Amino acid sequence: MSDEAFALIANFEAKRARALGHDGRRGAGIFYTPPEVAAFVVELLKEHGGSGVVLDPCAGAGAFLVAAARAGFTELRGIDLDRQALRVARKALKASGATARLTCGDALSVKPRGAVDCIVSNPPYGHVPAGTSLLRDFPALRGGEIDRYAVFMLRALQLVRPGGVAALLVPDTWMFLARAGKLREEVLKLSEVAAAVDLGKPFAAAKDTRVQALVLVRKPAASRATAVARGRTQLSPAPREELVASARRGWFLYRSEAERALCAAMEAASVPLGQACEVGYGMRTGNNQRYVARRMPETFEVGLAGGEDVTPFALRWKPKTLLHAAELGALVERQRGRPRIAIQRIRTNAQIPWARWLEAAPVAPELVCLDSLSTLACDSPDLLWALLALVQSVALQRFHRLRTTDVNVKPGALRELPVPRALLEDPRPLAALARARVADASLDRAIDAQVYRLFGLSAQLVEACEHGFWGERFSQENQRLTQFMSDPPASVARKEETA
């Protein structure tokens, strides 16, 4: 992108962002595309056969159209609701020596004149209000919350010609969320998924939004495996038959060969966590201002625990009390009187590889967990403590991040976490380590070693897990782990006085 074109687009986007404000941008689902990201998505478009007429149905100020012009595309079209943005797009294209046919309108209803060979776009994100007429036009979106980007994914496959290519910048949660099963099936019905590339979190205004470059080829098209990458690092391709077989359950694509082998080995030795214990949501009050007071509960009042209280292996409780408890009686009684493990559900942004996305702590029976927590419950105290250690282990942390990139920890994803059958047969050794770990953080690596043994992982698979979790800290953390992995399990237990 020429300096002048970039400046025109950047200046417009900065002014529009200030005018909308943070909440306005989120409400409209508008996140502007950095020029280098737009160029990369256009590069993928060409790599997977894109040529001819290019349309951006959410053109905005023209970042993708300018990137397409720079990549050699000459027949450019754009649609957008914002007339002012299109004026800037026209100027930016002119500064780049290009022109485009630009239309002010809604791409969900406006039909472009003539055939479109390619689509490249960053559609708006965010939920569409319930009861929308879009369900009539896109029935595959029924049965759950509707996301704007999902609507545009299907619309792109209507606008592009048969055999044409669509390259879109979208949140990657559609690949694994349960409510998106019908969407995945519809995408496979209409297209070949040519590529899925993890681009991380490129939007400064949406730091928790992880996005992918998704390349779809409208049918009829040659059947193919899906090329998978993290940025420019190629991962294991996903065979089409694998996508078809797992469309309802979800797609977990961002894995190397070693990471695929790791996940397969853990699953083969396990049962899902949802079979080992009850996994649930905390209590949703619907109005925390009315129901939650930040003070110690008085006699006969109900104490509350939330995400702010959870640290690994211990609850650091900031007193909270439930007001008007009778109005939420059934929800209260579902939890009270039963020990639980609380897992922080609403996460914040983290870029470091060793961030622990599963942060869990035991919760006293008299407390009720709010919906910023998910909960685990079972009748065996030893099993509950063992599950606490398991969830906090590097093995489960890594499995979880390879299964989902969702910034929040959903109970649906927790239910699918693997629990070694060997742990269910005798949870006591790991439970003892968990109880001791409450007061001694140095036992973390002893827990990791025990969990790896319970899964029966080879040294190569342990290394694959550790490398992915620790990143540049692998060498020093591996030395600590080796101390425990080279120790027979019984001597580890005796050393830590947990036998």
Side-chain angles (χ1 to χ4, degrees), residues 9 67 73 84 100 104 107 188 193 197 266 316 333 337 352 362 381 386 457 459 474 487 493:
I9 294 172
F73 290 93
Q84 187 178 356
C104 185
L188 289 178
V193 183
V197 180
M266 291 175 69
R316 302 287 185 250
E333 293 309 313
I352 57 175
L457 298 183
F474 168 74
D487 239 349

Side-chain angles (χ1 to χ4, degrees), residues 66-83:
V66 173
R70 286 176 54 83
F73 290 93
T74 57
E75 295 187 69
L76 307 172
R77 301 178 188 176
I79 303 172
D80 202 274
L81 288 166
D82 189 335
R83 193 177 300 276

Side-chain angles (χ1 to χ4, degrees), residues 197-315:
V197 180
D198 178 16
L199 297 182
K201 302 172 183 179
F203 302 134
K207 64 180 182 178
D208 289 340
T209 301
R210 195 174 190 98
V211 302
Q212 64 179 180
L214 178 69
V215 183
L216 305 175
V217 182
R218 180 177 168 180
K219 290 183 176 179
S223 180
R224 70 194 71 200
T226 300
V228 181
R230 291 191 188 113
R232 296 189 181 276
T233 302
Q234 297 299 312
L235 301 176
S236 301
R240 178 176 172 80
E241 56 270 20
E242 180 180 302
L243 297 187
V244 173
S246 59
R248 277 289 170 167
R249 178 171 180 255
W251 297 337
F252 316 116
L253 304 185
Y254 298 135
R255 299 172 177 178
S256 65
E257 288 288 352
E259 289 164 345
R260 280 176 175 266
L262 169 67
C263 293
M266 291 175 69
E267 289 172 337
S270 307
V271 300
L273 180 62
Q275 293 183 19
C277 68
E278 297 174 22
V279 181
Y281 284 97
M283 181 179 68
R284 181 177 178 82
T285 68
N287 185 349
N288 281 0
Q289 188 172 0
R290 170 177 170 76
Y291 290 104
V292 180
R294 288 188 168 272
R295 60 170 175 79
M296 285 291 293
E298 298 177 0
T299 305
F300 303 120
E301 287 189 321
V302 177
L304 299 171
E308 65 179 357
D309 301 319
V310 170
T311 62
F313 289 94
L315 205 68

